[in-house]
Amino acid sequence: GGPDPSSTLRCFMNMGPEVQSVLAAVSQGEAEQRFQRLLSCLSHPPALTCVRASTHLASLEEIQHRLGEELKQVGSNISVIILPHPHIPDVLLLPVIGPRPVVQLTSEVIVGAQCGSAVLRGAHVFAPGILATPKFMKTGDAVSVFSDLEGKCTRGNKDFKGKKVFVGNGVAEMDRSGIFCSDEPVKGVGIRMVEPLYQSPSFDGVLPSLAFLQNLPSVVVGHVLGPRPGERILDMCAAPGGKTCHIAALMRGQGEVVALDKIRGKVERIRQNAKALHLDCIKAHCFNSIKAVCTDQAQDTEGPPFPPQSFDRVLLDAPCSGLGQRPSMVCTWNLKEICSYQPLQRKLFHTAVRLLKRGGVLVYSTCTVTLAENEEQVAWALNTFPCLTLQPQEPHIGAEGMLGAGLSPEQLRLLQRFSPELGWSAAEARGEDDSPTEQPESPTPLAHRANKDTIGFFIAKFLKS
């Protein structure tokens, strides 16, 4: 399963000048091979699960030990390897084993694409994600779980015949009637996965205040921003709050982290995460970040809008096309949607620069792979805001920026692009590579793979002079 290469390639090639500039920098054949590798790796989960440890509450060693004990107690039937990342002081890595040779059963359950992606990363199937089950499914029945690739399965279906992809076998925790015929909103685990295609422990309810599941590049962003105790920091597009909480943790709760999001339900999620991680320096507000700067220099309010130059550091983790997310088993992208993000990102950029103090740091990041939303935005920002200069990033464990946006080699080296396709091969997709299915000798080889086999991601760091 995975994104349809032909339709996705047409979508990207229609992007015109951007693709032509890439082809001017590399050969047609090299560009096409890299694109096909990108599609292949996007349809598979990363090779390692990344856990951000709450080192503001306990030492990494203590969290590593407690996490291992907790995963044993919740009934994990696999030998769990947990190793610290050698270069990032608050990250633990757990190898993902797969794809595994799991035999499909005759009874089939269909789940939504988002639910299917979560299963591939170690989750059980929660009842709201279930779209179709056998007609007489009862609690305890063994079933095969499939993800709906085209979004065509209607809820309550009994015999879905559309395109689907197998994600593993599980045991029903509910009857069909309990899933589809309840008067109340259905909650809880509907299918407990016992033979997932990719084997990784479930973190549902495991050390909620000490272990936070987060993609490795998202953790890197917090360190690149470099927050210090006592500073006032703005996270402009903060939901669901993972990066917000990381920033606050790096500040040891000393200072103020202002988190903005324009969707009220997501703001509540930020507050819940902050509470779970015991971070009371976070102030979350429901507000459109584009309008977060006010014209009244004398205004002094706790909430938005804020006067210019109100913040020591600003994180703009911008809304984007999300084309770097993994695993992505369904292709719903269209050119109009992809192109709509660049103007929005630039509006947010204008606000970010105005709100940042002179001498302050602005970090721009996305979870997408397009030049238009990444390197081209950097080139535009440097031309639009003479006060901004690119800065070195620490840590810098990804690749440098991509050619094609008119940036100099020196500027590209200051950027950080996580490009999983660069180290990807067909053998990895089939599980024939040297995957970490056995106890590794040291964390270094594991970390090298963790740094390469990530979601697609981009980071730029600016200083305002």
Side-chain angles (χ1 to χ4, degrees):
D4 174 58
S6 60
S7 64
T8 312
L9 184 57
R10 284 196 299 273
C11 176
F12 271 72
M13 293 308 290
N14 282 338
M15 297 180 80
E18 176 188 312
V19 171
Q20 296 307 315
S21 64
V22 174
L23 296 181
V26 300
S27 69
Q28 174 85 30
E30 183 182 345
E32 290 183 354
Q33 287 178 9
R34 180 167 174 177
F35 184 79
Q36 293 299 328
R37 288 199 303 270
L38 175 63
L39 289 185
S40 178
C41 72
L42 287 180
S43 65
H44 295 76
L48 294 108
T49 295
C50 174
V51 175
R52 176 168 59 78
S54 298
T55 52
H56 64 293
L57 298 177
S59 69
L60 185 70
E61 293 75 15
E62 180 183 347
I63 296 172
Q64 180 181 1
H65 173 74
R66 290 183 60 181
L67 182 59
E69 293 299 310
E70 189 80 9
L71 290 175
K72 289 179 184 177
Q73 289 180 11
V74 297
S76 174
N77 58 359
I78 59 175
S79 177
V80 180
I81 300 167
I82 307 173
L83 288 173
H85 194 290
H87 307 301
I88 304 178
D90 52 1
V91 166
L92 296 170
L93 299 170
L94 291 80
V96 175
I97 302 171
R100 303 161 62 232
V102 181
V103 178
Q104 297 179 22
L105 308 175
T106 55
S107 295
E108 297 182 0
V109 168
I110 310 297
V111 301
Q114 186 175 2
C115 179
S117 295
V119 170
L120 289 180
R121 298 202 71 171
H124 296 297
V125 176
F126 284 78
I130 298 175
L131 300 176
T133 72
K135 186 175 181 179
F136 301 108
M137 187 182 79
K138 299 293 184 184
T139 300
D141 286 356
V143 296
S144 282
V145 178
F146 292 81
S147 180
D148 175 18
L149 282 182
E150 297 181 320
K152 293 184 177 179
C153 183
T154 56
R155 184 169 171 79
N157 199 303
K158 300 183 183 70
D159 190 24
F160 178 64
K161 299 297 184 183
K163 287 187 177 181
K164 59 194 177 185
V165 63
F166 177 63
V167 297
N169 295 333
V171 176
E173 295 282 306
M174 299 180 179
D175 297 345
R176 175 184 168 87
S177 59
I179 297 171
F180 297 122
C181 303
S182 174
D183 295 331
E184 300 293 327
V186 63
K187 297 179 181 179
V189 174
I191 307 293
R192 188 166 299 279
M193 299 302 297
V194 294
E195 289 185 297
L197 193 63
Y198 286 85
Q199 196 167 59
S200 180
S202 171
F203 279 77
D204 182 35
V206 174
L207 298 183
S209 65
L210 294 178
F212 192 92
L213 284 178
Q214 195 166 14
N215 289 304
L216 183 62
S218 297
V219 181
V220 171
V221 165
H223 288 286
V224 168
L225 184 65
R228 298 172 183 172
E231 292 183 329
R232 192 184 194 202
I233 297 178
L234 174 64
D235 187 351
M236 293 184 68
C237 307
K243 298 179 187 69
T244 307
C245 292
H246 189 208
I247 293 167
L250 291 173
M251 297 167 66
R252 299 288 168 180
Q254 301 172 35
E256 181 182 8
V257 182
V258 175
L260 302 182
D261 201 277
K262 64 181 182 179
I263 299 175
R264 191 166 300 279
K266 291 185 176 182
V267 173
E268 187 55 38
R269 177 79 180 277
I270 297 171
R271 291 173 179 148
Q272 291 171 358
N273 281 330
K275 184 177 181 180
L277 297 173
H278 306 286
L279 296 165
D280 56 9
C281 67
I282 293 172
K283 312 298 181 187
H285 304 278
C286 183
F287 200 82
N288 183 350
S289 285
I290 292 174
K291 303 175 181 179
V293 60
C294 64
T295 55
D296 184 2
Q297 295 272 2
Q299 180 173 334
D300 186 18
T301 59
E302 181 178 323
F306 304 100
Q309 301 190 60
S310 290
F311 296 93
D312 299 290
R313 299 173 196 265
V314 174
L315 172 60
L316 174 51
D317 185 50
C320 68
S321 55
L323 302 184
Q325 292 290 2
R326 297 174 61 191
S328 177
M329 296 181 291
V330 57
C331 177
T332 59
W333 316 326
N334 63 70
L335 183 61
K336 182 178 180 181
E337 181 182 1
I338 291 174
C339 292
S340 71
Y341 288 101
Q342 193 182 69
L344 172 61
Q345 292 158 354
R346 292 184 178 183
K347 290 178 182 178
L348 290 163
F349 229 114
H350 274 283
T351 302
V353 174
R354 291 185 66 192
L355 287 173
L356 184 63
K357 294 178 181 178
R358 294 188 187 92
V361 169
L362 166 62
V363 169
Y364 173 79
S365 62
T366 73
C367 58
T368 195
V369 296
T370 69
L371 270 177
E373 297 171 82
N374 295 326
E375 288 84 357
E376 285 188 6
Q377 295 293 55
V378 171
W380 167 84
L382 293 173
N383 289 330
T384 306
F385 308 105
C387 61
L388 294 183
T389 54
L390 284 173
Q391 297 295 301
Q393 300 184 32
E394 180 59 38
H396 195 298
I397 60 174
E400 63 183 33
M402 187 185 291
L403 293 165
L407 296 170
S408 70
E410 292 77 14
Q411 290 171 325
L412 292 176
R413 282 193 287 271
L414 292 172
L415 304 177
Q416 187 162 196
R417 177 184 270 266
F418 289 86
S419 302
E421 75 278 5
L422 293 180
W424 184 259
S425 68
E428 287 185 278
R430 296 191 298 267
E432 298 172 1
D433 64 306
D434 186 23
S435 58
T437 55
E438 299 180 359
Q439 181 75 39
E441 296 178 3
S442 75
T444 304
L446 197 65
H448 177 75
R449 178 157 186 177
N451 297 347
K452 300 286 186 183
D453 196 355
T454 66
I455 64 169
F457 207 87
F458 178 84
I459 309 172
K461 181 178 182 178
F462 301 88
L463 180 69
K464 180 180 179 180
S465 62

